[in-house]
Amino acid sequence: PLWNLGLTASALQTWGNPLNDVEPDQTYIGLELSGAFAVLGANFGVLRHMSGDDENHDWIYTIGVGVGI
């Protein structure tokens, strides 16, 4: 097809030093909406903090773009 759209469940586990933004050893779960038109793709996600001791980041947001062949 020329275009597509999808919704996925996502899990994210941080470790090390994740860009000095969120703390390491945190777990987030949520949903990501992804879509593509021709060879260009994009996604956006909203994830809720589930475990770990980072009290400053109850929600995080993800965004991505890509090109497929």
Side-chain angles (χ1 to χ4, degrees):
L2 184 58
W3 62 275
N4 65 53
L5 189 64
L7 185 66
T8 58
S10 296
L12 172 69
Q13 175 70 39
T14 64
W15 71 89
N17 190 5
L19 298 176
N20 295 319
D21 191 24
V22 296
E23 298 293 323
D25 300 319
Q26 308 302 307
T27 304
Y28 296 86
I29 63 169
L31 297 174
E32 286 189 320
L33 178 66
S34 60
F37 180 76
V39 297
L40 301 175
N43 68 315
F44 174 76
V46 178
L47 296 98
R48 174 87 166 120
H49 187 241
M50 297 306 292
S51 69
D53 58 1
D54 187 354
E55 297 176 2
N56 296 323
H57 298 95
D58 287 334
W59 294 91
I60 59 172
Y61 306 95
T62 63
I63 189 168
V65 294
V67 176
I69 52 173

